[in-house]
Amino acid sequence: MTYYRTINPATGEVVAEFPAATAEEISQALDSAQSAYLSWRQLDLAERSRLLRNVASLYRERAQELARIISVEMGKPVSQGAGEVGLVADIFDYYANEGPGFMEDQQLTVRGGGEAIVRSAPVGVLLGIMPWNYPYYQVARFAAPNLMLGNTIVLKHARNCPQSALAIQQIFDDAGLPAGAYVNVFATNGQIAEIIADPRVQGVSLTGSERAGSAVAEVAGRHLKKYVLELGGSDPFIVLDGENLDATIKAAVGGRMSNAGQACTASKRFMVVEDIYDAFVEKFTDRMAAIKHGDPLDSATKFGPIASQQAAAELIEQVQDAVQKGATLRTGGSLVEGAGSFMKPTVLTDVVPQMRAYHEELFGPVAVIYKVKDADEAIELANSSPYGLGGSVFSADIARAKSVADRLDTGMVFINSTADSQEDLPFGGVKRSGVGRELARSGMEEFVNKKLIRTPA
């Protein structure tokens, strides 16, 4: 039998497990979501807004409990978990407040007179497939705009996050949403294809790996279903000058190490102009080496474990491949001895295209630093990646930084800042980082029927 399991990454202990859904349970979930859609889409917008505000309030009320759940499930320090929950509450409040305005009819001026409007209408039941690294946030940025729009949600969470999945379901239930508006399912991979193909489902959103994204896109395309894919990233962090170098290095380490480096928008590839390269490497490495791991349930801990032994082993293999092929290991490169899947913060230099670390996403506390001659070489190196999610450009010359940002093949660029997620900023990438956008107005413009209503003169 297939199970959803909570395995504490700090101890390796199996904490809880739940059986995967049966075929009958999947069918009942789809029936419930379809039935709810028929009434939810007709509900007054003010009432939908009120219910989303209820959701936001419950997240805030339960912040400490929710943070503890994900700390045990995927190792996020409770202080960071509480911050994630706060962002989730902001997302639900944002769509409760701004969503009705985003849905206002668009008046068109047409030849021949009369009236023509474009109305934003829901499309139906949507499937969400969500990952483990931000168990609440990833769900919120998909669910909040689509519930406001009038769609209903069937949600398949990561198999190592069953308790956070159930906590989310409980919040929607307690907030007063009708049964079926949001339905959690412990589906298997085989069942996912069947759900996408089901005529009751009108679209699918996945945040996860390239492999999962390709599989979902293939099935969705075969059945002519809309999809949004938020996939991996290997974000460049470009340093153009040595002004405020200590502050830049502090931002660089923070951008690499938040959530133990397990973020698609984490800064992963550092491109530093040659005249300050040596100073940057030395200070950056010293900061990384000084970071200490700790119990993620301790409020003082900033650096927790990798989410699973399997993920940690994969990361170690990528590092070892680079070192065996000539990369310089400046610090780290191994797991911490003892229970759990803690990995030492790691810095690599002299990485070349023959190494996995050059092309692949390093999903954990591993930084790669490159020496570049100038901005042009930094841009060329940044754009050589198959990914195109986000990036950062640091320089005292803002105009120069913006010029570099304009030439990066990414969906997002941050000037003198690492990647930041806000409810009112669109999120998404290009190339192998995915298809579509989430958050801001964009979050309500993916799974929507832009319906033309024409009244001739």
Side-chain angles (χ1 to χ4, degrees), residues 53-227:
R53 289 192 190 96
N54 286 351
V55 171
S57 294
L58 288 174
Y59 269 105
R60 292 190 178 99
E61 289 175 13
R62 301 175 185 179
Q64 295 306 312
E65 172 193 347
L66 294 170
R68 182 179 177 83
I69 290 172
I70 59 174
S71 179
V72 172
E73 289 204 307
M74 50 71 62
K76 191 189 300 287
V78 288
S79 59
Q80 295 179 22
E84 178 180 340
V85 174
L87 175 56
V88 167
D90 289 344
I91 290 172
F92 279 99
D93 272 341
Y94 175 79
Y95 284 106
N97 296 332
E98 304 297 332
F102 294 155
M103 295 173 64
E104 289 181 354
D105 290 346
Q106 178 188 359
Q107 297 283 342
L108 303 180
T109 301
V110 293
R111 292 178 297 175
E115 180 187 66
I117 63 171
V118 175
R119 177 159 295 162
S120 295
V123 295
V125 179
L126 304 176
L127 171 65
I129 305 170
M130 296 296 130
W132 49 261
N133 58 331
Y134 290 90
Y136 304 125
Y137 160 69
Q138 306 281 12
V139 173
R141 71 185 194 188
F142 163 62
N146 283 298
L147 287 169
M148 187 66 237
L149 186 59
N151 296 317
T152 55
I153 306 295
V154 173
L155 201 290
K156 186 266 183 210
H157 218 313
R159 286 174 58 184
N160 60 330
C161 291
Q163 293 186 86
S164 50
L166 294 174
I168 294 169
Q169 179 72 73
Q170 192 64 56
I171 284 176
F172 283 116
D173 294 345
D174 292 347
L177 273 73
Y182 179 97
V183 186
N184 178 75
V185 293
F186 289 149
T188 65
N189 290 339
Q191 289 169 332
I192 289 300
E194 296 172 3
I195 295 172
I196 295 172
D198 193 288
R200 290 167 289 191
V201 173
Q202 304 305 313
V204 55
S205 179
L206 173 139
T207 299
S209 68
E210 289 178 75
R211 184 171 64 177
S214 296
V216 165
E218 181 181 1
V219 177
R222 190 184 314 135
H223 295 281
L224 302 179
K225 305 290 179 74
K226 173 70 183 289
Y227 56 84

Side-chain angles (χ1 to χ4, degrees), residues 411-433:
M412 305 172 285
V413 187
F414 295 81
I415 306 299
N416 291 334
S417 168
T418 53
D420 184 28
S421 184
Q422 294 180 199
E423 64 276 9
D424 53 355
L425 294 177
F427 184 102
V430 296
K431 300 195 288 188
R432 297 190 70 84
S433 287

Side-chain angles (χ1 to χ4, degrees), residues 153-332:
I153 306 295
V154 173
L155 201 290
K156 186 266 183 210
H157 218 313
R159 286 174 58 184
N160 60 330
C161 291
Q163 293 186 86
S164 50
L166 294 174
I168 294 169
Q169 179 72 73
Q170 192 64 56
I171 284 176
F172 283 116
D173 294 345
D174 292 347
L177 273 73
Y182 179 97
V183 186
N184 178 75
V185 293
F186 289 149
T188 65
N189 290 339
Q191 289 169 332
I192 289 300
E194 296 172 3
I195 295 172
I196 295 172
D198 193 288
R200 290 167 289 191
V201 173
Q202 304 305 313
V204 55
S205 179
L206 173 139
T207 299
S209 68
E210 289 178 75
R211 184 171 64 177
S214 296
V216 165
E218 181 181 1
V219 177
R222 190 184 314 135
H223 295 281
L224 302 179
K225 305 290 179 74
K226 173 70 183 289
Y227 56 84
V228 168
L229 305 175
E230 298 290 355
L231 308 178
S234 190
D235 287 11
F237 184 111
I238 297 174
V239 184
L240 298 175
D241 54 56
E243 297 292 329
N244 304 311
L245 184 60
D246 288 341
T248 298
I249 290 171
K250 181 180 179 180
V253 172
R256 174 64 282 201
M257 293 300 293
S258 179
N259 201 32
Q262 300 168 118
C264 51
T265 55
S267 302
K268 299 185 177 80
R269 298 178 297 143
F270 298 84
M271 295 140 198
V272 185
V273 292
E274 55 189 1
D275 59 327
I276 59 169
Y277 173 82
D278 289 338
F280 183 96
V281 170
E282 180 181 357
K283 293 184 176 184
F284 183 93
T285 301
D286 287 346
R287 274 185 170 269
M288 290 284 280
I291 295 172
K292 303 301 181 184
H293 73 275
D295 180 357
L297 290 172
D298 186 337
S299 60
T301 297
K302 303 298 182 184
F303 176 46
I306 303 298
S308 69
Q309 291 284 359
Q310 180 181 352
E314 173 69 15
L315 200 54
I316 292 295
E317 286 181 9
Q318 291 171 302
V319 171
Q320 290 176 343
D321 171 80
V323 173
Q324 290 167 3
K325 293 176 181 176
T328 301
L329 179 65
R330 300 280 179 162
T331 189

